[in-house]
Coordinates of all heavy atoms in Angstrom, one line a residue:
M14 N -8.4 -13.9 -25.0 CA -7.4 -14.5 -24.2 C -6.1 -14.6 -24.9 O -6.1 -14.7 -26.2 CB -7.8 -15.9 -23.9 CG -8.8 -16.1 -22.9 SD -8.2 -15.8 -21.2 CE -9.4 -16.4 -20.3
V15 N -5.0 -14.5 -24.2 CA -3.7 -14.5 -24.8 C -2.9 -15.8 -24.2 O -3.1 -16.1 -23.1 CB -2.8 -13.2 -24.5 CG1 -1.4 -13.3 -24.9 CG2 -3.6 -11.9 -24.8
H16 N -2.2 -16.4 -25.1 CA -1.5 -17.5 -24.7 C 0.0 -17.1 -24.3 O 0.6 -16.3 -24.9 CB -1.3 -18.5 -25.9 CG -0.7 -19.8 -25.6 ND1 -1.3 -20.8 -24.9 CD2 0.6 -20.1 -25.7 CE1 -0.4 -21.8 -24.8 NE2 0.8 -21.3 -25.2
L17 N 0.4 -17.6 -23.1 CA 1.7 -17.3 -22.5 C 2.5 -18.6 -22.3 O 2.0 -19.6 -21.9 CB 1.6 -16.5 -21.2 CG 0.9 -15.2 -21.2 CD1 0.7 -14.7 -19.8 CD2 1.6 -14.2 -22.1
N18 N 3.7 -18.4 -22.6 CA 4.6 -19.6 -22.2 C 5.4 -19.1 -21.0 O 6.0 -18.0 -21.1 CB 5.6 -19.9 -23.3 CG 5.1 -20.7 -24.4 OD1 4.1 -21.5 -24.1 ND2 5.5 -20.6 -25.7
I19 N 5.4 -19.8 -19.9 CA 6.2 -19.5 -18.8 C 7.0 -20.6 -18.3 O 6.8 -21.8 -18.6 CB 5.3 -19.0 -17.6 CG1 4.3 -20.1 -17.3 CG2 4.5 -17.7 -18.0 CD1 3.4 -19.7 -15.9
T20 N 8.1 -20.3 -17.6 CA 9.0 -21.3 -17.1 C 9.0 -21.3 -15.5 O 9.0 -20.2 -15.0 CB 10.4 -21.0 -17.5 OG1 10.5 -20.9 -19.0 CG2 11.4 -22.1 -17.1
F21 N 8.9 -22.5 -14.9 CA 8.9 -22.6 -13.6 C 10.1 -23.5 -13.1 O 10.4 -24.5 -13.7 CB 7.7 -23.4 -13.0 CG 6.4 -22.4 -13.0 CD1 5.6 -22.2 -14.0 CD2 6.0 -21.9 -11.7 CE1 4.4 -21.4 -14.0 CE2 4.9 -21.1 -11.6 CZ 4.1 -20.8 -12.7
P22 N 10.6 -23.2 -11.8 CA 11.5 -24.3 -11.2 C 10.7 -25.5 -10.9 O 9.5 -25.4 -10.7 CB 11.9 -23.5 -9.9 CG 11.6 -22.1 -10.1 CD 10.5 -22.0 -11.0
E23 N 11.4 -26.6 -11.0 CA 10.7 -27.9 -10.9 C 10.0 -28.0 -9.5 O 8.8 -28.5 -9.5 CB 11.8 -29.0 -11.0 CG 11.1 -30.4 -11.1 CD 10.3 -30.7 -12.3 OE1 10.6 -30.1 -13.4 OE2 9.2 -31.4 -12.1
D24 N 10.5 -27.5 -8.5 CA 9.9 -27.7 -7.2 C 8.6 -26.8 -7.0 O 7.5 -27.2 -6.5 CB 10.8 -27.4 -6.0 CG 11.4 -25.9 -6.1 OD1 11.5 -25.3 -7.3 OD2 11.7 -25.3 -5.1
L25 N 8.7 -25.6 -7.7 CA 7.5 -24.7 -7.7 C 6.4 -25.5 -8.6 O 5.1 -25.3 -8.2 CB 7.8 -23.4 -8.2 CG 6.7 -22.4 -8.3 CD1 6.1 -22.1 -6.9 CD2 7.2 -21.1 -8.7
K26 N 6.7 -26.1 -9.7 CA 5.7 -26.7 -10.5 C 5.1 -27.9 -9.7 O 3.9 -28.1 -9.8 CB 6.4 -27.2 -11.8 CG 5.4 -27.9 -12.7 CD 6.0 -28.6 -13.8 CE 5.0 -29.4 -14.6 NZ 4.4 -30.6 -13.9
R27 N 5.9 -28.6 -9.0 CA 5.3 -29.7 -8.2 C 4.3 -29.2 -7.1 O 3.2 -29.6 -7.0 CB 6.4 -30.4 -7.4 CG 7.1 -31.6 -8.2 CD 7.9 -32.5 -7.4 NE 8.9 -31.8 -6.7 CZ 10.2 -31.5 -7.1 NH1 10.5 -31.9 -8.4 NH2 11.0 -30.9 -6.4
E28 N 4.7 -28.0 -6.5 CA 3.8 -27.4 -5.6 C 2.5 -27.0 -6.2 O 1.4 -27.1 -5.8 CB 4.4 -26.2 -4.9 CG 5.4 -26.6 -3.8 CD 6.0 -25.5 -3.1 OE1 5.2 -24.7 -2.5 OE2 7.2 -25.2 -3.2
L29 N 2.7 -26.4 -7.4 CA 1.5 -25.9 -8.1 C 0.6 -27.0 -8.5 O -0.6 -26.9 -8.4 CB 2.1 -25.1 -9.4 CG 1.0 -24.7 -10.5 CD1 0.2 -23.6 -9.9 CD2 1.7 -24.2 -11.8
D30 N 1.2 -28.1 -9.1 CA 0.4 -29.2 -9.6 C -0.4 -29.7 -8.2 O -1.6 -30.2 -8.4 CB 1.2 -30.3 -10.1 CG 1.6 -29.8 -11.6 OD1 1.0 -28.9 -12.1 OD2 2.7 -30.4 -12.1
H31 N 0.2 -29.8 -7.1 CA -0.4 -30.3 -6.0 C -1.6 -29.4 -5.6 O -2.6 -29.9 -5.3 CB 0.6 -30.4 -4.7 CG 0.0 -30.8 -3.5 ND1 -0.3 -32.1 -3.2 CD2 -0.3 -30.1 -2.4 CE1 -0.9 -32.2 -2.0 NE2 -0.9 -31.0 -1.6
E32 N -1.4 -28.2 -5.6 CA -2.6 -27.3 -5.3 C -3.6 -27.4 -6.4 O -4.8 -27.1 -6.0 CB -2.0 -25.8 -5.2 CG -1.2 -25.6 -3.9 CD -2.1 -25.8 -2.7 OE1 -3.2 -25.5 -2.6 OE2 -1.6 -26.5 -1.7
I33 N -3.2 -27.5 -7.6 CA -4.3 -27.7 -8.7 C -5.1 -28.8 -8.4 O -6.4 -28.7 -8.6 CB -3.6 -27.7 -10.0 CG1 -2.9 -26.4 -10.4 CG2 -4.6 -28.2 -11.1 CD1 -2.0 -26.4 -11.6
K34 N -4.6 -30.0 -8.0 CA -5.4 -31.1 -7.8 C -6.3 -30.8 -6.6 O -7.5 -31.3 -6.6 CB -4.5 -32.2 -7.4 CG -3.8 -32.9 -8.6 CD -2.9 -34.0 -8.3 CE -2.1 -34.5 -9.5 NZ -1.2 -35.6 -9.2
R35 N -5.7 -30.2 -5.5 CA -6.7 -29.9 -4.4 C -7.8 -29.0 -4.8 O -8.9 -29.1 -4.2 CB -5.7 -29.3 -3.2 CG -4.8 -30.3 -2.5 CD -4.1 -29.7 -1.4 NE -5.0 -29.1 -0.5 CZ -4.6 -28.0 0.3 NH1 -3.5 -27.6 0.3 NH2 -5.6 -27.5 1.2
A36 N -7.4 -28.0 -5.5 CA -8.5 -27.0 -5.9 C -9.4 -27.6 -7.1 O -10.4 -26.9 -7.3 CB -7.8 -25.8 -6.4
K37 N -9.1 -28.6 -7.6 CA -9.8 -29.3 -8.7 C -10.1 -28.2 -9.8 O -11.3 -27.9 -10.1 CB -11.2 -29.8 -8.2 CG -11.0 -30.9 -7.1 CD -12.2 -31.5 -6.6 CE -11.9 -32.5 -5.6 NZ -13.1 -33.1 -4.9
T38 N -9.1 -27.6 -10.3 CA -9.1 -26.7 -11.4 C -8.0 -26.9 -12.5 O -7.2 -27.8 -12.3 CB -9.1 -25.2 -10.7 OG1 -9.4 -24.3 -11.7 CG2 -7.6 -25.1 -10.2
K39 N -8.1 -26.1 -13.4 CA -7.0 -26.2 -14.5 C -5.9 -25.3 -14.1 O -5.9 -24.4 -13.3 CB -7.6 -25.7 -15.7 CG -8.7 -26.4 -16.4 CD -9.3 -25.9 -17.6 CE -10.3 -26.7 -18.2 NZ -10.9 -26.1 -19.4
R40 N -4.7 -25.6 -14.5 CA -3.4 -24.8 -14.3 C -3.7 -23.4 -14.7 O -3.2 -22.5 -13.8 CB -2.3 -25.5 -15.0 CG -0.9 -24.9 -14.5 CD 0.2 -25.6 -15.2 NE 0.4 -26.9 -14.8 CZ 0.9 -27.9 -15.4 NH1 1.2 -27.7 -16.7 NH2 1.1 -29.2 -14.9
S41 N -4.1 -23.2 -15.9 CA -4.2 -21.8 -16.3 C -5.1 -20.9 -15.4 O -4.9 -19.8 -15.1 CB -4.6 -21.6 -17.8 OG -5.8 -22.3 -17.9
T42 N -6.2 -21.6 -15.1 CA -7.3 -20.9 -14.1 C -6.6 -20.6 -12.9 O -6.7 -19.4 -12.3 CB -8.6 -21.7 -14.0 OG1 -9.1 -22.1 -15.2 CG2 -9.5 -21.1 -13.1
F43 N -5.9 -21.6 -12.3 CA -5.3 -21.4 -10.9 C -4.2 -20.2 -11.1 O -4.1 -19.3 -10.2 CB -4.5 -22.7 -10.5 CG -4.1 -22.6 -9.2 CD1 -4.8 -22.9 -8.1 CD2 -2.7 -22.3 -8.9 CE1 -4.4 -22.9 -6.8 CE2 -2.3 -22.2 -7.6 CZ -3.0 -22.5 -6.5
I44 N -3.4 -20.2 -12.0 CA -2.4 -19.2 -12.3 C -3.0 -17.9 -12.4 O -2.6 -16.8 -11.9 CB -1.4 -19.6 -13.4 CG1 -0.6 -20.8 -13.0 CG2 -0.4 -18.4 -13.7 CD1 0.3 -21.3 -14.1
Q45 N -4.1 -17.7 -13.2 CA -4.8 -16.5 -13.4 C -5.3 -16.0 -12.1 O -5.1 -14.7 -11.7 CB -6.0 -16.7 -14.3 CG -5.6 -16.8 -15.8 CD -6.7 -17.2 -16.7 OE1 -7.9 -16.8 -16.4 NE2 -6.5 -18.0 -17.7
L46 N -5.9 -16.8 -11.2 CA -6.4 -16.4 -9.9 C -5.2 -16.0 -9.0 O -5.4 -15.0 -8.3 CB -7.1 -17.5 -9.3 CG -8.5 -17.9 -9.9 CD1 -9.0 -19.2 -9.2 CD2 -9.5 -16.8 -9.7
A47 N -4.1 -16.6 -9.1 CA -3.0 -16.3 -8.2 C -2.4 -14.9 -8.6 O -2.1 -14.1 -7.8 CB -1.9 -17.4 -8.4
V48 N -2.3 -14.6 -10.0 CA -1.9 -13.4 -10.4 C -2.7 -12.3 -10.0 O -2.3 -11.2 -9.5 CB -1.6 -13.4 -11.9 CG1 -1.3 -12.0 -12.4 CG2 -0.4 -14.3 -12.3
R49 N -4.1 -12.5 -10.2 CA -5.0 -11.5 -9.8 C -4.9 -11.2 -8.3 O -5.0 -10.1 -7.9 CB -6.5 -12.0 -10.0 CG -7.0 -11.7 -11.5 CD -8.5 -12.1 -11.5 NE -8.8 -12.5 -12.8 CZ -8.8 -11.8 -13.9 NH1 -8.6 -10.5 -13.9 NH2 -9.1 -12.3 -15.1
F50 N -4.8 -12.3 -7.4 CA -4.8 -12.1 -6.0 C -3.5 -11.2 -5.7 O -3.5 -10.3 -4.9 CB -4.7 -13.5 -5.4 CG -4.5 -13.4 -3.9 CD1 -5.6 -13.1 -3.0 CD2 -3.3 -13.6 -3.3 CE1 -5.4 -12.9 -1.7 CE2 -3.1 -13.6 -1.9 CZ -4.2 -13.2 -1.2
Y51 N -2.4 -11.7 -6.4 CA -1.1 -10.9 -6.0 C -1.2 -9.5 -6.4 O -0.8 -8.6 -5.7 CB 0.0 -11.4 -6.9 CG 1.3 -10.7 -6.8 CD1 2.2 -10.8 -5.8 CD2 1.5 -9.7 -7.9 CE1 3.3 -10.0 -5.7 CE2 2.8 -8.9 -7.9 CZ 3.5 -9.1 -6.7 OH 4.7 -8.3 -6.8
L52 N -1.9 -9.1 -7.5 CA -2.0 -7.7 -8.0 C -2.9 -6.9 -7.1 O -2.7 -5.7 -6.8 CB -2.5 -7.7 -9.4 CG -1.5 -8.1 -10.5 CD1 -2.1 -8.2 -11.9 CD2 -0.2 -7.3 -10.4
E53 N -4.0 -7.5 -6.6 CA -4.9 -7.0 -5.7 C -4.2 -6.6 -4.4 O -4.4 -5.5 -3.9 CB -6.2 -7.9 -5.4 CG -7.1 -7.9 -6.6 CD -8.2 -8.8 -6.5 OE1 -8.4 -9.4 -5.4 OE2 -8.9 -9.1 -7.4
V54 N -3.4 -7.6 -3.9 CA -2.8 -7.4 -2.6 C -1.8 -6.2 -2.8 O -1.6 -5.3 -1.9 CB -2.1 -8.7 -2.0 CG1 -1.1 -8.4 -0.9 CG2 -3.1 -9.7 -1.7
K55 N -1.1 -6.3 -3.9 CA -0.1 -5.2 -4.1 C -0.6 -3.9 -4.2 O -0.2 -2.9 -3.7 CB 0.7 -5.6 -5.5 CG 1.8 -4.6 -5.9 CD 2.4 -5.1 -7.1 CE 3.5 -4.2 -7.7 NZ 2.8 -3.0 -8.4
N56 N -1.8 -3.8 -5.0 CA -2.4 -2.4 -5.1 C -3.0 -2.0 -3.8 O -2.9 -0.8 -3.4 CB -3.7 -2.6 -6.1 CG -3.1 -2.7 -7.6 OD1 -1.9 -2.3 -7.8 ND2 -3.8 -3.3 -8.4
K57 N -3.6 -2.9 -3.0 CA -4.0 -2.6 -1.6 C -2.9 -2.0 -0.8 O -3.1 -1.0 -0.1 CB -4.7 -3.7 -1.0 CG -5.5 -3.4 0.3 CD -6.3 -4.6 0.7 CE -7.1 -4.1 2.0 NZ -8.0 -5.3 2.5
K58 N -1.8 -2.7 -0.8 CA -0.7 -2.2 0.0 C -0.2 -0.8 -0.5 O 0.1 0.0 0.4 CB 0.5 -3.2 -0.1 CG 0.4 -4.5 0.7 CD 1.6 -5.3 0.6 CE 1.4 -6.6 1.4 NZ 2.6 -7.4 1.3
E59 N -0.2 -0.6 -1.7 CA 0.3 0.7 -2.3 C -0.8 1.8 -1.9 O -0.4 2.9 -1.5 CB 0.4 0.6 -3.7 CG 1.6 -0.1 -4.2 CD 1.6 -0.3 -5.7 OE1 0.7 0.0 -6.4 OE2 2.6 -0.9 -6.2
K60 N -2.1 1.5 -2.0 CA -3.1 2.4 -1.6 C -3.0 2.7 -0.1 O -3.1 3.9 0.3 CB -4.5 1.9 -2.0 CG -4.8 2.0 -3.4 CD -6.2 1.4 -3.7 CE -6.4 1.3 -5.3 NZ -7.6 0.7 -5.6
N61 N -2.8 1.6 0.7 CA -2.7 1.9 2.2 C -1.5 2.7 2.5 O -1.6 3.6 3.4 CB -2.6 0.6 2.8 CG -3.9 -0.1 3.0 OD1 -5.0 0.5 2.8 ND2 -4.0 -1.5 3.2
A62 N -0.3 2.6 1.7 CA 0.8 3.4 2.0 C 0.5 4.8 1.7 O 0.9 5.8 2.4 CB 2.0 2.9 1.1
L63 N -0.2 5.1 0.6 CA -0.6 6.5 0.2 C -1.5 7.1 1.3 O -1.3 8.2 1.6 CB -1.2 6.5 -1.1 CG -0.2 6.3 -2.3 CD1 -1.0 6.1 -3.6 CD2 0.8 7.4 -2.4
L64 N -2.5 6.3 1.7 CA -3.4 6.8 2.7 C -2.7 7.1 3.9 O -2.9 8.2 4.7 CB -4.5 5.8 3.0 CG -5.6 5.7 2.0 CD1 -6.5 4.4 2.2 CD2 -6.4 6.9 1.9
K65 N -1.8 6.2 4.4 CA -1.0 6.5 5.6 C -0.2 7.8 5.5 O -0.2 8.6 6.4 CB 0.0 5.3 5.9 CG 0.8 5.5 7.0 CD 1.7 4.3 7.3 CE 2.6 4.5 8.5 NZ 3.5 3.4 8.7
E66 N 0.4 8.0 4.4 CA 1.2 9.2 4.1 C 0.3 10.5 4.2 O 0.7 11.4 4.8 CB 1.9 9.2 2.7 CG 2.8 10.3 2.3 CD 3.3 10.1 1.0 OE1 3.8 8.9 0.6 OE2 3.3 11.1 0.1
G67 N -0.8 10.3 3.6 CA -1.8 11.4 3.6 C -2.3 11.7 5.0 O -2.4 12.9 5.5
Y68 N -2.6 10.6 5.8 CA -3.1 10.9 7.2 C -2.0 11.5 8.1 O -2.2 12.3 8.9 CB -3.5 9.6 7.8 CG -4.8 9.1 7.3 CD1 -5.0 7.8 6.8 CD2 -6.0 10.0 7.4 CE1 -6.3 7.5 6.3 CE2 -7.3 9.6 7.0 CZ -7.4 8.3 6.5 OH -8.6 8.0 6.0
I69 N -0.7 11.1 7.8 CA 0.4 11.7 8.5 C 0.5 13.1 8.1 O 0.7 14.0 9.0 CB 1.7 10.9 8.3 CG1 1.6 9.5 8.9 CG2 3.0 11.7 8.7 CD1 2.7 8.6 8.6
D70 N 0.4 13.5 6.9 CA 0.5 14.9 6.4 C -0.6 15.7 7.1 O -0.3 16.8 7.6 CB 0.4 14.9 4.9 CG 0.6 16.3 4.4 OD1 1.6 16.9 4.8 OD2 -0.3 16.7 3.5
V71 N -1.7 15.2 7.2 CA -2.9 16.0 7.7 C -2.7 16.1 9.3 O -2.9 17.2 9.8 CB -4.3 15.2 7.5 CG1 -5.3 15.7 8.4 CG2 -4.6 15.3 6.1
A72 N -2.2 15.0 9.9 CA -1.9 15.1 11.4 C -0.7 16.2 11.6 O -0.9 16.9 12.5 CB -1.4 13.8 11.9
M73 N 0.3 16.2 10.7 CA 1.3 17.1 11.0 C 0.8 18.6 10.8 O 1.3 19.4 11.5 CB 2.5 16.8 10.1 CG 3.2 15.6 10.2 SD 3.9 15.4 12.0 CE 5.2 16.6 11.8
R74 N -0.1 18.8 9.7 CA -0.6 20.1 9.5 C -1.4 20.5 10.8 O -1.4 21.6 11.3 CB -1.4 20.1 8.3 CG -0.6 20.4 7.0 CD -1.4 20.6 5.9 NE -1.7 19.3 5.2 CZ -2.9 18.9 4.7 NH1 -3.9 19.8 4.6 NH2 -3.0 17.8 4.2
E75 N -2.1 19.6 11.4 CA -3.0 19.9 12.5 C -2.1 20.2 13.7 O -2.3 21.1 14.4 CB -4.0 18.7 12.8 CG -4.8 18.9 14.0 CD -5.8 20.0 13.9 OE1 -6.0 20.6 12.8 OE2 -6.3 20.5 15.0
E76 N -1.0 19.4 13.9 CA -0.1 19.7 14.9 C 0.5 21.0 14.8 O 0.7 21.8 15.8 CB 0.9 18.6 15.1 CG 2.0 18.7 16.2 CD 2.9 17.6 16.2 OE1 2.8 16.5 15.5 OE2 3.8 17.7 17.1
S77 N 1.0 21.3 13.6 CA 1.5 22.7 13.4 C 0.6 23.8 13.6 O 0.9 24.8 14.2 CB 2.1 22.7 11.9 OG 3.0 21.9 11.6
R78 N -0.7 23.6 13.3 CA -1.7 24.6 13.5 C -1.8 24.8 15.1 O -1.9 26.0 15.5 CB -3.0 24.3 12.9 CG -4.1 25.3 13.0 CD -5.5 24.9 12.7 NE -5.9 23.9 13.5 CZ -6.3 24.0 14.8 NH1 -6.4 25.2 15.3 NH2 -6.8 23.1 15.4
L79 N -1.9 23.7 15.8 CA -1.9 23.8 17.3 C -0.7 24.5 17.9 O -0.9 25.3 18.8 CB -2.1 22.3 17.8 CG -3.5 21.7 17.5 CD1 -3.4 20.2 18.0 CD2 -4.7 22.4 18.1
I80 N 0.4 24.2 17.4 CA 1.6 24.9 17.9 C 1.5 26.4 17.6 O 1.9 27.2 18.4 CB 2.9 24.2 17.3 CG1 3.1 22.9 17.9 CG2 4.1 25.1 17.7 CD1 4.1 22.0 17.2
M81 N 1.1 26.7 16.4 CA 1.0 28.2 16.0 C 0.0 28.8 16.9 O 0.3 29.9 17.4 CB 0.6 28.3 14.5 CG 1.8 28.1 13.6 SD 1.4 28.0 11.8 CE 0.1 29.1 11.6
D82 N -1.1 28.1 17.1 CA -2.1 28.7 18.0 C -1.6 28.9 19.4 O -1.9 30.0 20.1 CB -3.4 27.8 18.1 CG -4.2 27.9 16.9 OD1 -4.0 28.8 16.1 OD2 -5.1 27.1 16.8
D83 N -0.7 28.0 19.9 CA -0.2 28.2 21.3 C 0.8 29.4 21.3 O 0.8 30.0 22.4 CB 0.7 26.9 21.6 CG -0.2 25.7 22.0 OD1 -1.4 25.9 22.2 OD2 0.4 24.6 22.0
F84 N 1.4 29.7 20.2 CA 2.4 30.9 20.3 C 1.9 32.1 19.7 O 2.5 33.1 19.6 CB 3.6 30.5 19.6 CG 4.6 29.4 20.4 CD1 4.4 28.2 20.2 CD2 5.4 30.0 21.2 CE1 5.1 27.2 21.0 CE2 6.2 29.2 22.0 CZ 6.1 27.8 21.9
K85 N 0.5 32.2 19.2 CA 0.1 33.4 18.6 C 0.2 34.6 19.5 O 0.4 35.7 19.1 CB -1.3 33.2 18.0 CG -2.4 33.1 18.9 CD -3.7 32.9 18.2 CE -4.8 32.4 19.2 NZ -6.1 32.0 18.4
Y86 N -0.2 34.4 20.9 CA -0.1 35.6 21.7 C 1.4 36.1 22.0 O 1.7 37.3 22.1 CB -0.8 35.3 23.0 CG -2.3 35.0 22.8 CD1 -2.8 33.7 23.0 CD2 -3.1 36.0 22.3 CE1 -4.1 33.4 22.8 CE2 -4.5 35.7 22.1 CZ -5.0 34.5 22.3 OH -6.3 34.2 22.0
A87 N 2.2 35.1 22.1 CA 3.7 35.4 22.3 C 4.3 36.1 21.1 O 5.0 37.2 21.1 CB 4.5 34.1 22.6
D88 N 3.8 35.7 19.8 CA 4.2 36.4 18.6 C 3.8 37.8 18.6 O 4.4 38.7 18.1 CB 3.8 35.6 17.4 CG 4.5 34.2 17.3 OD1 5.5 34.0 17.9 OD2 4.0 33.4 16.5
A89 N 2.5 38.0 19.0 CA 1.9 39.3 19.0 C 2.6 40.2 20.0 O 3.0 41.4 19.6 CB 0.4 39.2 19.4
E90 N 3.0 39.7 21.1 CA 3.8 40.5 22.1 C 5.2 40.8 21.6 O 5.7 42.0 21.7 CB 3.9 39.8 23.4 CG 2.6 39.7 24.3 CD 2.4 41.2 24.8 OE1 3.3 41.9 25.2 OE2 1.1 41.5 24.6
T91 N 5.7 39.9 20.9 CA 7.1 40.2 20.4 C 7.1 41.1 19.2 O 8.0 42.0 19.0 CB 7.7 38.7 19.9 OG1 7.7 37.9 21.0 CG2 9.2 38.9 19.5
A92 N 6.1 41.0 18.4 CA 6.0 41.9 17.2 C 5.9 43.4 17.6 O 6.4 44.2 16.8 CB 4.7 41.6 16.4
K93 N 5.5 43.7 19.0 CA 5.5 45.1 19.4 C 6.9 45.7 19.4 O 7.1 46.9 19.3 CB 4.9 45.2 20.7 CG 3.4 44.9 20.8 CD 2.9 45.4 22.2 CE 2.1 44.3 22.8 NZ 1.7 44.5 24.2
Y94 N 7.9 44.9 19.6 CA 9.3 45.3 19.9 C 10.1 45.2 18.5 O 11.4 45.5 18.6 CB 9.8 44.5 20.9 CG 9.1 44.6 22.2 CD1 8.3 43.6 22.6 CD2 9.2 45.8 23.0 CE1 7.6 43.6 23.9 CE2 8.4 45.9 24.2 CZ 7.6 44.7 24.5 OH 6.8 44.9 25.8
I95 N 9.6 44.8 17.4 CA 10.4 44.6 16.2 C 10.2 46.0 15.5 O 9.1 46.4 15.2 CB 9.8 43.5 15.4 CG1 10.1 42.2 16.0 CG2 10.5 43.5 14.0 CD1 9.5 41.0 15.5
D96 N 11.4 46.5 15.1 CA 11.3 47.7 14.2 C 10.9 47.4 12.8 O 11.4 46.5 12.3 CB 12.7 48.4 14.3 CG 13.0 49.0 15.7 OD1 12.1 49.4 16.3 OD2 14.3 49.0 15.9
D97 N 10.2 48.3 12.3 CA 9.8 48.1 10.8 C 10.8 48.6 9.9 O 11.6 49.5 10.0 CB 8.4 48.8 10.5 CG 7.3 48.1 11.2 OD1 7.4 46.8 11.1 OD2 6.4 48.7 11.6

């Protein structure tokens, strides 16, 4: 374990102390849990953003493939008239 000194605004400390009494725990334990929770939520949001980006990329590739399939016959017809 590492010892940390932190500073809180007075109103936040009062809220913290109130929650500590309700949770019947120690201040350091409560803050550790709060930091863990924050980091888990932050990491989950970041992972979800990456997943969303990946799904959008896959969907766009699929849409592009479908468009290309729609025009493949037209492209083949046009290719007959292009000089090499």
Side-chain angles (χ1 to χ4, degrees):
M14 287 283 194
V15 176
H16 183 83
L17 299 175
N18 282 330
I19 57 174
T20 304
F21 278 84
E23 190 62 39
D24 60 327
L25 185 57
K26 182 190 174 290
R27 275 193 301 274
E28 288 182 58
L29 173 64
D30 289 342
H31 177 75
E32 287 301 316
I33 288 167
K34 285 180 186 176
R35 287 183 53 202
K37 297 178 182 173
T38 188
K39 295 179 182 178
R40 186 180 291 151
S41 61
T42 303
F43 187 88
I44 292 171
Q45 288 171 28
L46 292 171
V48 170
R49 274 189 214 285
F50 178 77
Y51 170 82
L52 293 174
E53 287 173 7
V54 169
K55 181 178 173 280
N56 288 334
K57 187 173 184 177
K58 283 183 179 182
E59 288 172 355
K60 287 178 186 175
N61 284 340
L63 288 172
L64 284 171
K65 181 180 177 182
E66 184 180 315
Y68 284 125
I69 289 171
D70 186 45
V71 168
M73 294 301 290
R74 276 189 269 143
E75 179 63 16
E76 183 178 352
S77 295
R78 189 191 61 74
L79 292 172
I80 291 169
M81 286 174 31
D82 284 349
D83 287 345
F84 284 93
K85 69 182 171 188
Y86 298 111
D88 290 342
E90 283 295 313
T91 305
K93 290 188 229 178
Y94 302 105
I95 298 175
D96 293 330
D97 287 319

